[in-house]
Amino acid sequence: MEQMALVIFSICIQAAIGIMVFVAIAKLLNKDSIFKKALIISAGLAIVGLLASLMHLGRPLSALNSLARFSSSWLSREIWFTGVFTGLAVLVALLVFFKPSTKGAINALIPIAAVIGLADVFVMASIYYFTSVKAWQYSSVFVEFYATALSMGAVLFMALNGKKAENMRRAVTLTVGVAVILQVVAMVLYYIQLGTNESLAAQKSLSLLNSMGGAMAIKWLLILLGSGLLFFPLKKANMNISAGQAATEIAAATEGSLITSTYIAGALLIIGQIVGRYLFYAVMVISTVGLS
Protein backbone atom coordinates (compact mmCIF):
# COMPACT_ATOMS: atom_id res chain seq x y z
CA MET A 1 0.00 0.00 0.00
CA GLU A 2 2.97 2.30 -0.53
CA GLN A 3 1.01 4.22 -3.16
CA MET A 4 -1.87 5.00 -0.77
CA ALA A 5 -0.89 8.68 -0.66
CA LEU A 6 -1.35 8.84 -4.45
CA VAL A 7 -4.70 7.06 -4.20
CA ILE A 8 -5.90 9.56 -1.58
CA PHE A 9 -4.53 12.49 -3.57
CA SER A 10 -6.06 11.58 -6.92
CA ILE A 11 -9.41 10.39 -5.54
CA CYS A 12 -9.90 13.40 -3.24
CA ILE A 13 -8.86 15.99 -5.83
CA GLN A 14 -11.00 14.42 -8.55
CA ALA A 15 -14.02 14.14 -6.24
CA ALA A 16 -13.58 17.79 -5.25
CA ILE A 17 -13.42 18.80 -8.92
CA GLY A 18 -16.50 16.73 -9.75
CA ILE A 19 -18.50 18.40 -6.97
CA MET A 20 -17.42 21.85 -8.17
CA VAL A 21 -18.46 21.02 -11.74
CA PHE A 22 -21.97 20.09 -10.64
CA VAL A 23 -22.28 23.11 -8.39
CA ALA A 24 -21.34 25.25 -11.41
CA ILE A 25 -24.01 23.53 -13.53
CA ALA A 26 -26.61 23.91 -10.77
CA LYS A 27 -25.71 27.60 -10.49
CA LEU A 28 -26.55 28.06 -14.17
CA LEU A 29 -30.05 26.80 -13.41
CA ASN A 30 -30.47 28.83 -10.23
CA LYS A 31 -27.93 31.53 -9.44
CA ASP A 32 -29.54 32.32 -6.08
CA SER A 33 -29.03 28.83 -4.65
CA ILE A 34 -26.09 28.44 -2.28
CA PHE A 35 -24.81 24.88 -2.15
CA LYS A 36 -22.95 25.45 1.08
CA LYS A 37 -22.29 21.85 2.09
CA ALA A 38 -21.10 20.84 -1.37
CA LEU A 39 -18.68 23.77 -1.63
CA ILE A 40 -17.25 23.19 1.84
CA ILE A 41 -16.78 19.46 1.22
CA SER A 42 -15.18 20.21 -2.16
CA ALA A 43 -12.68 22.54 -0.46
CA GLY A 44 -12.04 20.00 2.32
CA LEU A 45 -11.39 17.16 -0.14
CA ALA A 46 -9.06 19.39 -2.16
CA ILE A 47 -7.04 20.22 0.96
CA VAL A 48 -6.82 16.55 1.97
CA GLY A 49 -5.72 15.62 -1.55
CA LEU A 50 -3.09 18.35 -1.65
CA LEU A 51 -1.67 17.28 1.73
CA ALA A 52 -1.60 13.64 0.58
CA SER A 53 0.40 14.62 -2.51
CA LEU A 54 2.96 16.36 -0.32
CA MET A 55 3.22 13.25 1.88
CA HIS A 56 3.96 11.14 -1.19
CA LEU A 57 6.85 13.36 -2.20
CA GLY A 58 8.74 12.51 0.99
CA ARG A 59 10.47 15.89 0.74
CA PRO A 60 7.56 18.34 0.24
CA LEU A 61 9.85 21.32 -0.23
CA SER A 62 11.27 19.63 -3.34
CA ALA A 63 7.93 20.38 -5.03
CA LEU A 64 8.97 24.02 -5.10
CA ASN A 65 11.76 23.15 -7.52
CA SER A 66 9.19 21.87 -10.01
CA LEU A 67 7.12 25.05 -10.10
CA ALA A 68 9.47 26.81 -12.52
CA ARG A 69 9.23 24.02 -15.13
CA PHE A 70 5.61 24.60 -16.15
CA SER A 71 6.39 24.67 -19.87
CA SER A 72 8.21 21.34 -19.89
CA SER A 73 6.97 19.27 -16.95
CA TRP A 74 3.55 17.67 -16.50
CA LEU A 75 4.32 17.38 -12.78
CA SER A 76 4.87 21.13 -12.60
CA ARG A 77 1.55 21.72 -14.39
CA GLU A 78 -0.22 19.36 -12.00
CA ILE A 79 1.16 21.23 -8.99
CA TRP A 80 0.05 24.56 -10.44
CA PHE A 81 -3.43 23.47 -11.53
CA THR A 82 -4.08 21.54 -8.33
CA GLY A 83 -2.83 24.44 -6.21
CA VAL A 84 -4.93 27.02 -8.07
CA PHE A 85 -8.04 24.82 -7.96
CA THR A 86 -7.59 24.17 -4.24
CA GLY A 87 -7.05 27.88 -3.58
CA LEU A 88 -10.21 28.82 -5.47
CA ALA A 89 -12.24 26.06 -3.79
CA VAL A 90 -11.12 27.23 -0.35
CA LEU A 91 -11.79 30.87 -1.22
CA VAL A 92 -15.31 30.07 -2.43
CA ALA A 93 -16.01 27.99 0.69
CA LEU A 94 -14.81 30.82 2.95
CA LEU A 95 -16.97 33.35 1.10
CA VAL A 96 -20.03 31.10 1.30
CA PHE A 97 -19.44 30.47 5.00
CA PHE A 98 -18.46 33.94 6.19
CA LYS A 99 -19.62 36.31 3.42
CA PRO A 100 -22.66 34.73 1.73
CA SER A 101 -23.79 38.20 0.67
CA THR A 102 -20.97 38.37 -1.91
CA LYS A 103 -23.02 36.38 -4.42
CA GLY A 104 -21.44 38.07 -7.43
CA ALA A 105 -17.94 36.95 -6.48
CA ILE A 106 -19.14 33.46 -5.54
CA ASN A 107 -21.05 32.99 -8.79
CA ALA A 108 -18.02 34.15 -10.78
CA LEU A 109 -15.44 32.01 -8.97
CA ILE A 110 -17.34 28.69 -9.05
CA PRO A 111 -17.29 28.18 -12.87
CA ILE A 112 -13.67 29.36 -13.01
CA ALA A 113 -12.74 26.75 -10.39
CA ALA A 114 -14.71 24.09 -12.28
CA VAL A 115 -12.93 24.78 -15.58
CA ILE A 116 -9.49 24.80 -13.91
CA GLY A 117 -10.43 21.57 -12.16
CA LEU A 118 -11.38 19.85 -15.41
CA ALA A 119 -8.07 20.98 -16.90
CA ASP A 120 -6.33 19.59 -13.82
CA VAL A 121 -7.86 16.14 -14.44
CA PHE A 122 -6.37 16.22 -17.95
CA VAL A 123 -2.97 17.20 -16.55
CA MET A 124 -3.12 14.46 -13.90
CA ALA A 125 -3.88 11.83 -16.53
CA SER A 126 -1.14 13.17 -18.81
CA ILE A 127 1.49 12.62 -16.10
CA TYR A 128 0.83 8.89 -16.25
CA TYR A 129 0.23 8.72 -20.02
CA PHE A 130 3.69 10.15 -20.71
CA THR A 131 5.60 8.04 -18.18
CA SER A 132 7.75 4.98 -18.91
CA VAL A 133 5.05 2.70 -17.47
CA LYS A 134 3.66 0.74 -20.42
CA ALA A 135 0.40 -0.05 -18.60
CA TRP A 136 -0.41 3.66 -18.40
CA GLN A 137 0.37 4.64 -21.98
CA TYR A 138 -3.22 4.32 -23.16
CA SER A 139 -6.08 6.79 -23.66
CA SER A 140 -8.09 4.78 -21.13
CA VAL A 141 -6.21 6.69 -18.42
CA PHE A 142 -8.02 9.89 -19.45
CA VAL A 143 -11.40 8.14 -19.56
CA GLU A 144 -10.78 6.55 -16.16
CA PHE A 145 -9.83 9.83 -14.49
CA TYR A 146 -12.68 11.89 -15.97
CA ALA A 147 -15.25 9.14 -15.32
CA THR A 148 -14.09 8.92 -11.71
CA ALA A 149 -14.23 12.68 -11.18
CA LEU A 150 -17.66 13.13 -12.72
CA SER A 151 -19.33 10.04 -11.24
CA MET A 152 -18.08 10.73 -7.69
CA GLY A 153 -18.78 14.44 -7.99
CA ALA A 154 -22.31 13.78 -9.23
CA VAL A 155 -23.38 11.45 -6.42
CA LEU A 156 -21.66 13.54 -3.74
CA PHE A 157 -23.38 16.68 -5.04
CA MET A 158 -26.79 14.97 -4.82
CA ALA A 159 -26.10 13.41 -1.42
CA LEU A 160 -24.87 16.68 0.09
CA ASN A 161 -27.69 18.86 -1.21
CA GLY A 162 -30.67 16.53 -1.04
CA LYS A 163 -33.99 18.20 -1.88
CA LYS A 164 -32.27 21.43 -2.97
CA ALA A 165 -30.62 19.58 -5.87
CA GLU A 166 -33.66 17.51 -6.85
CA ASN A 167 -33.97 19.32 -10.18
CA MET A 168 -30.48 18.00 -10.99
CA ARG A 169 -31.33 14.34 -10.38
CA ARG A 170 -31.91 13.46 -14.03
CA ALA A 171 -28.70 15.20 -15.14
CA VAL A 172 -26.74 13.50 -12.36
CA THR A 173 -28.14 10.07 -13.19
CA LEU A 174 -27.42 10.44 -16.90
CA THR A 175 -23.92 11.73 -16.22
CA VAL A 176 -23.09 8.78 -14.00
CA GLY A 177 -24.59 6.35 -16.50
CA VAL A 178 -22.61 7.74 -19.44
CA ALA A 179 -19.41 7.97 -17.36
CA VAL A 180 -19.69 4.34 -16.23
CA ILE A 181 -20.50 3.08 -19.75
CA LEU A 182 -17.46 4.90 -21.15
CA GLN A 183 -15.37 3.53 -18.30
CA VAL A 184 -16.45 -0.04 -19.07
CA VAL A 185 -15.78 0.36 -22.81
CA ALA A 186 -12.38 1.93 -22.10
CA MET A 187 -11.46 -0.95 -19.78
CA VAL A 188 -12.40 -3.59 -22.39
CA LEU A 189 -10.28 -1.82 -25.01
CA TYR A 190 -7.50 -1.41 -22.47
CA TYR A 191 -7.39 -5.16 -21.79
CA ILE A 192 -7.23 -5.87 -25.52
CA GLN A 193 -4.47 -3.31 -26.13
CA LEU A 194 -2.44 -4.35 -23.10
CA GLY A 195 -2.77 -8.02 -24.06
CA THR A 196 -1.43 -7.38 -27.55
CA ASN A 197 1.49 -5.29 -26.30
CA GLU A 198 4.54 -7.52 -26.58
CA SER A 199 6.78 -5.57 -24.21
CA LEU A 200 7.85 -7.39 -21.05
CA ALA A 201 6.71 -4.48 -18.87
CA ALA A 202 3.21 -4.55 -20.36
CA GLN A 203 2.93 -8.32 -19.98
CA LYS A 204 4.07 -8.08 -16.37
CA SER A 205 1.44 -5.44 -15.67
CA LEU A 206 -1.21 -7.62 -17.32
CA SER A 207 -0.11 -10.55 -15.18
CA LEU A 208 -0.41 -8.42 -12.03
CA LEU A 209 -3.87 -7.25 -13.12
CA ASN A 210 -5.02 -10.82 -13.76
CA SER A 211 -3.73 -11.91 -10.35
CA MET A 212 -6.00 -9.30 -8.75
CA GLY A 213 -9.13 -10.46 -10.53
CA GLY A 214 -11.08 -10.54 -7.27
CA ALA A 215 -10.39 -6.88 -6.57
CA MET A 216 -11.27 -6.03 -10.17
CA ALA A 217 -14.58 -7.86 -9.82
CA ILE A 218 -15.33 -5.96 -6.61
CA LYS A 219 -14.57 -2.66 -8.33
CA TRP A 220 -17.03 -3.23 -11.15
CA LEU A 221 -19.66 -4.83 -8.95
CA LEU A 222 -19.72 -1.79 -6.67
CA ILE A 223 -19.63 0.74 -9.52
CA LEU A 224 -22.39 -0.99 -11.49
CA LEU A 225 -24.59 -1.49 -8.42
CA GLY A 226 -24.11 2.13 -7.41
CA SER A 227 -24.98 3.51 -10.84
CA GLY A 228 -27.89 1.09 -11.08
CA LEU A 229 -29.37 2.42 -7.84
CA LEU A 230 -29.53 5.89 -9.34
CA PHE A 231 -31.59 4.61 -12.26
CA PHE A 232 -33.70 2.27 -10.12
CA PRO A 233 -33.98 3.76 -6.60
CA LEU A 234 -35.00 1.64 -3.66
CA LYS A 235 -38.68 1.59 -2.80
CA LYS A 236 -39.92 1.55 0.75
CA ALA A 237 -41.02 -1.88 1.79
CA ASN A 238 -44.62 -2.23 2.92
CA MET A 239 -45.55 1.23 1.61
CA ASN A 240 -49.31 0.66 1.54
CA ILE A 241 -50.79 3.77 -0.02
CA SER A 242 -54.45 4.05 0.88
CA ALA A 243 -56.95 6.26 -0.90
CA GLY A 244 -57.13 8.58 2.07
CA GLN A 245 -53.41 8.92 2.62
CA ALA A 246 -52.23 12.50 2.41
CA ALA A 247 -50.26 13.45 -0.69
CA THR A 248 -47.61 15.01 1.52
CA GLU A 249 -47.03 11.68 3.29
CA ILE A 250 -46.63 9.87 -0.01
CA ALA A 251 -44.23 12.54 -1.28
CA ALA A 252 -42.21 12.41 1.94
CA ALA A 253 -41.92 8.62 1.77
CA THR A 254 -40.86 8.76 -1.88
CA GLU A 255 -38.32 11.50 -1.16
CA GLY A 256 -36.90 9.49 1.73
CA SER A 257 -36.41 6.47 -0.53
CA LEU A 258 -34.65 8.59 -3.17
CA ILE A 259 -32.30 10.12 -0.61
CA THR A 260 -31.48 6.70 0.87
CA SER A 261 -30.80 5.32 -2.61
CA THR A 262 -28.53 8.27 -3.38
CA TYR A 263 -26.50 7.73 -0.20
CA ILE A 264 -26.07 4.02 -0.89
CA ALA A 265 -25.30 4.62 -4.57
CA GLY A 266 -22.72 7.23 -3.61
CA ALA A 267 -21.01 4.92 -1.12
CA LEU A 268 -20.88 2.03 -3.61
CA LEU A 269 -19.57 4.18 -6.46
CA ILE A 270 -16.91 5.88 -4.38
CA ILE A 271 -15.62 2.66 -2.82
CA GLY A 272 -15.56 1.05 -6.27
CA GLN A 273 -13.57 3.92 -7.72
CA ILE A 274 -11.12 3.80 -4.81
CA VAL A 275 -10.55 0.08 -5.42
CA GLY A 276 -10.04 0.84 -9.11
CA ARG A 277 -7.51 3.54 -8.35
CA TYR A 278 -5.56 1.16 -6.12
CA LEU A 279 -5.44 -1.33 -9.01
CA PHE A 280 -4.27 1.45 -11.32
CA TYR A 281 -1.17 2.04 -9.20
CA ALA A 282 -0.68 -1.64 -8.36
CA VAL A 283 0.07 -2.59 -11.99
CA MET A 284 2.91 -0.10 -12.29
CA VAL A 285 5.94 -1.70 -13.93
CA ILE A 286 8.53 0.79 -15.13
CA SER A 287 10.25 0.13 -18.44
CA THR A 288 14.00 0.03 -17.98
CA VAL A 289 17.00 -1.21 -19.92
CA GLY A 290 16.29 -4.85 -20.70
CA LEU A 291 12.60 -4.47 -19.88
CA SER A 292 10.91 -2.55 -22.65
Side-chain angles (χ1 to χ4, degrees):
M1 301 294 282
E2 60 182 14
Q3 302 296 340
M4 186 52 66
L6 279 176
V7 173
I8 295 172
F9 160 66
S10 59
I11 286 291
C12 286
I13 291 294
Q14 288 169 21
I17 291 169
I19 293 172
M20 191 65 71
V21 168
F22 279 92
V23 172
I25 295 172
K27 278 286 190 180
L28 291 176
L29 300 176
N30 187 354
K31 288 185 178 181
D32 294 327
S33 294
I34 299 178
F35 302 97
K36 186 175 181 180
K37 287 182 181 179
L39 291 170
I40 291 174
I41 293 299
S42 178
L45 286 170
I47 291 172
V48 171
L50 194 60
L51 292 175
S53 70
L54 294 177
M55 288 171 54
H56 171 73
L57 289 174
R59 296 167 56 189
L61 292 179
S62 64
L64 297 175
N65 298 326
S66 300
L67 293 177
R69 299 200 296 270
F70 183 87
S71 62
S72 60
S73 169
W74 284 108
L75 177 60
S76 176
R77 294 165 193 157
E78 180 190 53
I79 294 172
W80 276 107
F81 275 98
T82 301
V84 172
F85 170 78
T86 301
L88 288 174
V90 170
L91 177 57
V92 171
L94 289 174
L95 288 175
V96 167
F97 195 82
F98 294 107
K99 293 285 185 179
S101 59
T102 58
K103 290 184 178 180
I106 293 171
N107 291 341
L109 290 172
I110 288 173
I112 293 173
V115 170
I116 290 175
L118 289 173
D120 190 25
V121 175
F122 179 83
V123 172
M124 292 171 72
S126 296
I127 287 179
Y128 300 105
Y129 183 79
F130 291 107
T131 62
S132 58
V133 178
K134 293 293 184 180
W136 293 342
Q137 295 172 357
Y138 297 97
S139 58
S140 60
V141 174
F142 294 92
V143 176
E144 185 79 14
F145 277 30
Y146 274 110
T148 299
L150 293 176
S151 62
M152 290 195 303
V155 293
L156 284 171
F157 173 80
M158 283 299 303
L160 290 167
N161 293 292
K163 188 175 181 180
K164 187 187 295 185
E166 192 57 39
N167 64 331
M168 289 282 292
R169 178 170 292 278
R170 179 173 295 180
V172 164
T173 302
L174 289 175
T175 299
V176 172
V178 171
V180 170
I181 289 172
L182 291 176
Q183 202 173 0
V184 170
V185 172
M187 178 54 66
V188 171
L189 294 176
Y190 172 73
Y191 257 111
I192 295 172
Q193 292 171 326
L194 191 61
T196 56
N197 191 321
E198 296 180 355
S199 74
L200 293 177
Q203 292 303 310
K204 178 62 177 176
S205 291
L206 182 61
S207 177
L208 288 171
L209 199 57
N210 289 334
S211 69
M212 294 182 286
M216 181 64 75
I218 291 173
K219 168 193 172 178
W220 288 114
L221 178 64
L222 294 176
I223 290 175
L224 293 174
L225 283 176
S227 58
L229 268 179
L230 291 176
F231 283 93
F232 306 101
L234 296 171
K235 293 183 179 180
K236 274 209 168 187
N238 301 321
M239 189 191 295
N240 298 317
I241 301 174
S242 62
Q245 188 174 1
T248 53
E249 293 180 25
I250 299 173
T254 302
E255 181 185 335
S257 297
L258 287 173
I259 292 174
T260 300
S261 295
T262 301
Y263 287 152
I264 297 174
L268 293 173
L269 270 168
I270 291 169
I271 295 172
Q273 298 292 10
I274 291 173
V275 173
R277 192 54 50 84
Y278 166 74
L279 292 172
F280 175 81
Y281 290 113
V283 300
M284 179 179 66
V285 177
I286 300 174
S287 297
T288 57
V289 177
L291 185 64
S292 58

